[in-house]
Amino acid sequence: MLDFSFYSPTEFVFGKGRESECGELVKKYGGSKVLIHFGGGSAVKSGLIDRVKASLEKSGVPFCELGGVQPNPRDTLVYKGIELAKSEGVDFILAVGGGSVIDSAKAIAAGTLYDGDFWDFYSGKAAIEKALPIGVVLTIAAAGSEGSGNSVITKEDGMLKRGTGSDLLRSRFSVLNPALTQTLPAYQTACGATDIMAHVFERYFTNTTEVEITDRLCEAVLLTMVKETPRVIADPDNYEARANIMWAGMVAHNNIVGVGREQDWNSHGLEHELSGLYDVAHGAGLAVIMPAWMEYVHNHNVMRFCQMATRIFGCSMDFEDPEATALEGIKRFRAFLKSIGMPINFAELGAKEEDIPILIEKLGIGDGKRAGFMELDRNDVEGIYKLAVKASL
Ligand code: NZQ
Ligand code: ZN
């Protein structure tokens, strides 16, 4: 196991109706003027925004609001949010929504206290040194942004999707009410489940040895997702299954399952170019890319794939032909994704083979290599995209 520091300062407030505690939570963490940030409509339609406002009013916390965050959140709205936060003297950002809303809130939080262009944090030009505190009311189990220090924003000019990270972006509190996720369309639920599993796999496929504890934690999350996702797809109002998935989404990405081990993140890197270029859901892009990445790299450490196949997907170990076991595990993962309604190849996602050179160009790999479980050069990246083009069951 590698040395590590683990910092997760967020207070998680879990359960039915707990968004009513928002006002007191904001006060507890020092907010005296709040910007409520939300998405394209679901949180307004469900009455959640009104409940959040009522809670703030009850606690005597003034607020202003900015809705309209799109999936794959755009820089253009972040600029508006920064302007509004400055002009209104906001000292706390409250994100009510999913990963897109939370990531946009994080960008506003850092950008408001920065003299330059907030995009500097995403282009790698500057590191975040200050940020306003944020709080979260989560409405979809997926990105894990409610527990992570990351934010991913898309620059509308060129649809360039880039991420940044800092412990300063970690939420002060995150309200997790599983009942809020019951209004999600099945497709979004499945996209979220795929993202949660991908966050674990990015950590599971490691070159670090002697990591039994985090291997087993990863497997616990993956087995939970394999069991609970079909239950909520079949029965969207199943609160208990939703609750397990919601907590799994947090555990998958606040890094408790990834500490002390090298991680990969190449499936995410390759996927961000897809959701950036085609404006598709991140989870759907991952369903297409991740099994293809697995197929491409499995011989780098075939026994690790056998571990996945036997422990997560119930394959029998073929000791004479370990590769057959590894490939069977990958096949079952892809079949699982298909069974919950995910696309599994370029055509189903709406992506085009002829765009592969553009995807590689946007990835900016040049003649270099991407670090990870297996180092990838541009030929490898092309190979993975090509496997994703043709994938079938
Ligand atoms: O805008 P509304 O109307 O709310 O609709 C949203 C949106 O269309 C809808 N939705 C959310 N909660 C709902 C609901 N509809 C009905 N009922 C509810 N309760 O779902 C759609 C997707 O929402 P979005 O926030 O985009 O989903 P998700 O949480 O998957 O976030 C995706 C974004 O997070 C980034 C992704 O790249 C993508 O941009 N990621 C962020 C990470 C992080 N910050 O740590 C890590 C991830 O790997 C990921 O990259
Ligand atoms: Zn993700």
Side-chain angles (χ1 to χ4, degrees):
M1 197 188 293
L2 306 174
D3 295 349
F4 65 88
S5 298
F6 179 64
Y7 179 69
S8 179
T10 307
E11 177 176 352
F12 294 101
V13 180
F14 194 100
K16 286 180 188 160
R18 302 217 51 193
E19 59 274 14
S20 66
E21 295 169 41
C22 269
E24 288 307 300
L25 285 162
V26 167
K27 265 175 42 183
K28 178 173 172 183
Y29 290 100
S32 63
K33 177 75 191 271
V34 174
L35 169 61
I36 308 174
H37 200 34
F38 52 96
S42 71
V44 174
K45 206 170 131 201
S46 66
L48 175 61
I49 294 294
D50 283 343
R51 295 203 297 282
V52 166
K53 286 181 186 170
S55 172
L56 290 168
E57 275 161 5
K58 196 170 161 207
S59 301
V61 182
F63 57 83
C64 55
E65 57 190 280
L66 180 64
V69 179
Q70 293 167 255
N72 300 317
R74 309 296 205 269
D75 62 335
T76 41
L77 195 70
V78 172
Y79 290 116
K80 276 192 195 154
I82 292 170
E83 244 174 65
L84 185 64
K86 283 182 179 167
S87 66
E88 293 279 335
V90 162
D91 61 10
F92 198 98
I93 317 278
L94 183 57
V96 183
S100 296
V101 172
I102 303 168
D103 286 4
S104 184
K106 287 174 174 176
I108 295 169
T112 302
L113 300 186
Y114 181 59
D115 282 337
D117 181 350
F118 93 91
W119 187 253
D120 292 351
F121 303 133
Y122 294 78
S123 64
K125 237 171 112 182
I128 296 170
E129 286 174 3
K130 293 184 272 191
L132 291 177
I134 77 154
V136 167
V137 179
L138 187 65
T139 63
I140 171 172
S145 191
E146 68 278 12
S148 83
N150 304 99
S151 163
V152 186
I153 300 290
T154 299
K155 194 178 184 53
E156 210 153 280
D157 181 13
M159 291 300 278
L160 201 60
K161 190 170 183 181
R162 291 291 176 266
T164 190
S166 164
D167 280 336
L168 294 164
L169 296 182
R170 288 178 186 269
S171 177
R172 297 296 203 277
F173 68 84
S174 289
V175 173
L176 274 54
N177 172 2
L180 296 179
T181 68
Q182 288 171 355
T183 52
L184 278 166
Y187 184 75
Q188 284 299 340
T189 297
C191 286
T194 305
D195 195 18
I196 292 169
M197 292 181 79
H199 291 162
V200 177
F201 280 133
E202 298 280 22
R203 294 167 163 105
Y204 193 65
F205 291 102
T206 182
N207 295 312
T208 313
T209 56
E210 303 283 358
V211 283
E212 184 69 7
I213 174 66
T214 39
D215 266 8
R216 293 295 185 176
L217 288 170
C218 285
E219 287 160 4
V221 179
L222 292 166
L223 287 165
T224 299
M225 296 308 296
V226 168
K227 179 177 175 205
E228 302 291 26
T229 308
R231 285 179 79 203
V232 289
I233 299 292
D235 176 14
D237 291 334
N238 188 325
Y239 177 85
E240 295 301 339
R242 291 256 183 217
N244 278 290
I245 289 176
M246 198 166 219
W247 191 238
M250 202 299 294
V251 172
H253 200 41
N254 85 333
N255 212 24
I256 197 159
V257 305
V259 292
R261 48 201 291 149
E262 279 177 22
Q263 303 183 8
D264 188 68
W265 296 100
N266 277 320
S267 293
H268 267 69
L270 270 61
E271 191 295 314
H272 281 165
E273 301 314 328
L274 282 174
S275 47
L277 187 63
Y278 301 109
D279 203 12
V280 292
H282 169 61
L286 284 168
V288 172
I289 288 294
M290 187 146 240
W293 172 85
M294 288 178 172
E295 279 169 347
Y296 194 86
V297 308
H298 71 274
N299 274 324
H300 176 71
N301 182 348
V302 79
M303 291 313 288
R304 186 142 276 274
F305 280 92
C306 291
Q307 185 173 311
M308 172 192 82
T310 55
R311 292 186 185 175
I312 310 301
F313 294 109
C315 301
S316 310
M317 181 66 204
D318 183 342
F319 289 97
E320 286 181 4
D321 188 359
E323 189 177 4
T325 306
L327 290 173
E328 179 61 24
I330 298 166
K331 191 174 155 193
R332 290 192 191 184
F333 176 41
R334 186 178 273 134
F336 171 79
L337 295 170
K338 181 88 182 162
S339 75
I340 61 170
M342 286 288 90
I344 56 163
N345 56 39
F346 262 43
E348 289 179 12
L349 186 68
K352 296 188 201 114
E353 183 169 12
E354 58 267 32
D355 287 343
I356 289 177
I358 301 172
L359 294 167
I360 297 173
E361 201 48 45
K362 289 184 103 176
L363 195 62
I365 190 167
D367 294 327
K369 289 191 170 184
R370 290 179 65 90
F373 177 64
M374 190 181 118
E375 274 193 342
L376 304 178
D377 63 20
R378 63 184 298 131
N379 292 330
D380 297 320
V381 169
E382 187 179 4
I384 294 166
Y385 280 132
K386 284 198 162 158
L387 283 174
V389 170
K390 300 195 271 276
S392 63
L393 291 183

CSV table of all heavy atoms in Angstrom, one decimal, residues 87-114:
chain,number,residue,atom,x,y,z
A,87,SER,N,-21.9,40.6,-7.2
A,87,SER,CA,-22.8,41.8,-7.0
A,87,SER,C,-23.7,41.7,-5.8
A,87,SER,O,-24.1,42.7,-5.3
A,87,SER,CB,-23.6,42.1,-8.3
A,87,SER,OG,-24.4,41.0,-8.5
A,88,GLU,N,-24.1,40.4,-5.5
A,88,GLU,CA,-25.0,40.2,-4.4
A,88,GLU,C,-24.3,40.0,-3.0
A,88,GLU,O,-25.0,39.8,-2.0
A,88,GLU,CB,-25.9,39.0,-4.7
A,88,GLU,CG,-26.8,39.2,-5.8
A,88,GLU,CD,-28.1,40.0,-5.4
A,88,GLU,OE1,-28.5,39.9,-4.2
A,88,GLU,OE2,-28.7,40.6,-6.3
A,89,GLY,N,-23.0,40.0,-3.0
A,89,GLY,CA,-22.3,39.8,-1.8
A,89,GLY,C,-22.5,38.4,-1.2
A,89,GLY,O,-22.6,38.2,0.0
A,90,VAL,N,-22.6,37.4,-2.1
A,90,VAL,CA,-22.8,36.1,-1.6
A,90,VAL,C,-21.6,35.5,-0.9
A,90,VAL,O,-20.5,35.7,-1.3
A,90,VAL,CB,-23.2,35.2,-2.9
A,90,VAL,CG1,-23.0,33.7,-2.6
A,90,VAL,CG2,-24.6,35.5,-3.4
A,91,ASP,N,-21.8,34.8,0.2
A,91,ASP,CA,-20.7,34.1,0.9
A,91,ASP,C,-20.9,32.6,1.0
A,91,ASP,O,-20.1,32.0,1.7
A,91,ASP,CB,-20.4,34.8,2.2
A,91,ASP,CG,-21.6,34.7,3.2
A,91,ASP,OD1,-22.5,33.9,2.9
A,91,ASP,OD2,-21.5,35.3,4.2
A,92,PHE,N,-21.9,32.1,0.4
A,92,PHE,CA,-22.1,30.6,0.4
A,92,PHE,C,-22.9,30.2,-0.8
A,92,PHE,O,-23.9,30.8,-1.2
A,92,PHE,CB,-22.9,30.3,1.7
A,92,PHE,CG,-22.9,28.8,2.1
A,92,PHE,CD1,-22.0,28.4,3.1
A,92,PHE,CD2,-23.7,27.8,1.5
A,92,PHE,CE1,-21.9,27.0,3.5
A,92,PHE,CE2,-23.6,26.5,1.8
A,92,PHE,CZ,-22.7,26.1,2.8
A,93,ILE,N,-22.4,29.1,-1.4
A,93,ILE,CA,-23.2,28.6,-2.6
A,93,ILE,C,-23.9,27.3,-2.3
A,93,ILE,O,-23.2,26.4,-1.8
A,93,ILE,CB,-22.2,28.3,-3.8
A,93,ILE,CG1,-21.1,29.4,-4.0
A,93,ILE,CG2,-23.0,28.1,-5.1
A,93,ILE,CD1,-21.5,30.6,-4.7
A,94,LEU,N,-25.2,27.2,-2.6
A,94,LEU,CA,-25.9,26.0,-2.3
A,94,LEU,C,-26.3,25.4,-3.6
A,94,LEU,O,-27.2,25.9,-4.3
A,94,LEU,CB,-27.2,26.4,-1.4
A,94,LEU,CG,-28.0,25.2,-1.0
A,94,LEU,CD1,-27.2,24.2,-0.2
A,94,LEU,CD2,-29.2,25.7,-0.1
A,95,ALA,N,-25.8,24.2,-3.9
A,95,ALA,CA,-26.1,23.5,-5.1
A,95,ALA,C,-27.2,22.6,-4.9
A,95,ALA,O,-27.1,21.7,-4.0
A,95,ALA,CB,-24.8,22.7,-5.6
A,96,VAL,N,-28.3,22.7,-5.6
A,96,VAL,CA,-29.4,21.8,-5.5
A,96,VAL,C,-29.6,21.0,-6.8
A,96,VAL,O,-30.1,21.6,-7.8
A,96,VAL,CB,-30.7,22.6,-5.2
A,96,VAL,CG1,-31.9,21.6,-4.9
A,96,VAL,CG2,-30.5,23.4,-3.9
A,97,GLY,N,-29.1,19.8,-6.9
A,97,GLY,CA,-29.1,19.1,-8.2
A,97,GLY,C,-28.1,18.0,-8.2
A,97,GLY,O,-27.7,17.4,-7.2
A,98,GLY,N,-27.7,17.6,-9.4
A,98,GLY,CA,-26.7,16.5,-9.6
A,98,GLY,C,-25.3,17.0,-9.8
A,98,GLY,O,-25.0,18.2,-9.5
A,99,GLY,N,-24.5,16.2,-10.4
A,99,GLY,CA,-23.1,16.5,-10.6
A,99,GLY,C,-22.9,17.8,-11.4
A,99,GLY,O,-22.0,18.6,-11.0
A,100,SER,N,-23.7,18.0,-12.4
A,100,SER,CA,-23.5,19.2,-13.2
A,100,SER,C,-23.8,20.5,-12.4
A,100,SER,O,-23.0,21.4,-12.5
A,100,SER,CB,-24.5,19.2,-14.4
A,100,SER,OG,-24.2,18.1,-15.2
A,101,VAL,N,-24.8,20.5,-11.6
A,101,VAL,CA,-25.1,21.7,-10.7
A,101,VAL,C,-24.0,21.8,-9.7
A,101,VAL,O,-23.5,22.9,-9.5
A,101,VAL,CB,-26.5,21.5,-10.1
A,101,VAL,CG1,-26.7,22.6,-9.0
A,101,VAL,CG2,-27.6,21.5,-11.1
A,102,ILE,N,-23.6,20.7,-9.1
A,102,ILE,CA,-22.6,20.8,-8.0
A,102,ILE,C,-21.2,21.3,-8.6
A,102,ILE,O,-20.6,22.2,-8.1
A,102,ILE,CB,-22.4,19.5,-7.3
A,102,ILE,CG1,-23.7,18.9,-6.7
A,102,ILE,CG2,-21.3,19.6,-6.2
A,102,ILE,CD1,-23.6,17.5,-6.3
A,103,ASP,N,-20.9,20.8,-9.8
A,103,ASP,CA,-19.6,21.2,-10.4
A,103,ASP,C,-19.6,22.7,-10.8
A,103,ASP,O,-18.6,23.4,-10.7
A,103,ASP,CB,-19.3,20.3,-11.6
A,103,ASP,CG,-18.9,18.9,-11.2
A,103,ASP,OD1,-18.9,18.7,-10.0
A,103,ASP,OD2,-18.5,18.1,-12.1
A,104,SER,N,-20.8,23.1,-11.3
A,104,SER,CA,-20.9,24.5,-11.7
A,104,SER,C,-20.8,25.4,-10.4
A,104,SER,O,-20.2,26.4,-10.4
A,104,SER,CB,-22.3,24.7,-12.4
A,104,SER,OG,-22.5,26.0,-12.8
A,105,ALA,N,-21.5,24.9,-9.3
A,105,ALA,CA,-21.4,25.7,-8.0
A,105,ALA,C,-19.9,25.8,-7.6
A,105,ALA,O,-19.5,26.8,-7.1
A,105,ALA,CB,-22.2,25.0,-7.0
A,106,LYS,N,-19.2,24.7,-7.7
A,106,LYS,CA,-17.8,24.7,-7.3
A,106,LYS,C,-17.0,25.7,-8.1
A,106,LYS,O,-16.1,26.4,-7.6
A,106,LYS,CB,-17.2,23.3,-7.5
A,106,LYS,CG,-17.7,22.3,-6.4
A,106,LYS,CD,-17.2,20.9,-6.7
A,106,LYS,CE,-17.5,19.9,-5.6
A,106,LYS,NZ,-17.1,18.5,-5.9
A,107,ALA,N,-17.3,25.7,-9.4
A,107,ALA,CA,-16.5,26.7,-10.3
A,107,ALA,C,-16.8,28.1,-9.9
A,107,ALA,O,-16.0,29.0,-9.8
A,107,ALA,CB,-16.9,26.4,-11.7
A,108,ILE,N,-18.1,28.4,-9.6
A,108,ILE,CA,-18.5,29.7,-9.1
A,108,ILE,C,-17.8,30.1,-7.8
A,108,ILE,O,-17.3,31.2,-7.6
A,108,ILE,CB,-20.0,29.9,-9.0
A,108,ILE,CG1,-20.7,29.7,-10.4
A,108,ILE,CG2,-20.4,31.2,-8.3
A,108,ILE,CD1,-22.2,29.5,-10.3
A,109,ALA,N,-17.8,29.0,-6.9
A,109,ALA,CA,-17.2,29.2,-5.6
A,109,ALA,C,-15.7,29.7,-5.7
A,109,ALA,O,-15.2,30.5,-5.0
A,109,ALA,CB,-17.3,28.0,-4.7
A,110,ALA,N,-15.0,29.0,-6.6
A,110,ALA,CA,-13.6,29.3,-6.7
A,110,ALA,C,-13.4,30.6,-7.6
A,110,ALA,O,-12.5,31.5,-7.2
A,110,ALA,CB,-12.8,28.2,-7.4
A,111,GLY,N,-14.2,30.8,-8.6
A,111,GLY,CA,-14.1,31.9,-9.5
A,111,GLY,C,-14.4,33.2,-8.8
A,111,GLY,O,-13.8,34.3,-9.2
A,112,THR,N,-15.3,33.2,-7.9
A,112,THR,CA,-15.7,34.5,-7.2
A,112,THR,C,-14.6,35.1,-6.5
A,112,THR,O,-14.5,36.3,-6.3
A,112,THR,CB,-16.9,34.2,-6.3
A,112,THR,OG1,-18.0,33.6,-7.0
A,112,THR,CG2,-17.4,35.5,-5.6
A,113,LEU,N,-13.7,34.3,-5.9
A,113,LEU,CA,-12.6,34.8,-5.1
A,113,LEU,C,-11.3,34.9,-5.9
A,113,LEU,O,-10.2,35.0,-5.3
A,113,LEU,CB,-12.4,33.9,-3.9
A,113,LEU,CG,-13.6,33.8,-2.9
A,113,LEU,CD1,-13.2,33.1,-1.6
A,113,LEU,CD2,-14.1,35.2,-2.5
A,114,TYR,N,-11.4,34.8,-7.2
A,114,TYR,CA,-10.2,34.9,-8.1
A,114,TYR,C,-10.2,36.1,-9.0
A,114,TYR,O,-11.2,36.4,-9.6
A,114,TYR,CB,-10.2,33.6,-8.9
A,114,TYR,CG,-9.0,33.4,-9.8
A,114,TYR,CD1,-7.7,33.3,-9.3
A,114,TYR,CD2,-9.2,33.2,-11.2
A,114,TYR,CE1,-6.6,33.1,-10.2
A,114,TYR,CE2,-8.1,33.0,-12.1
A,114,TYR,CZ,-6.8,33.0,-11.5
A,114,TYR,OH,-5.8,32.8,-12.4
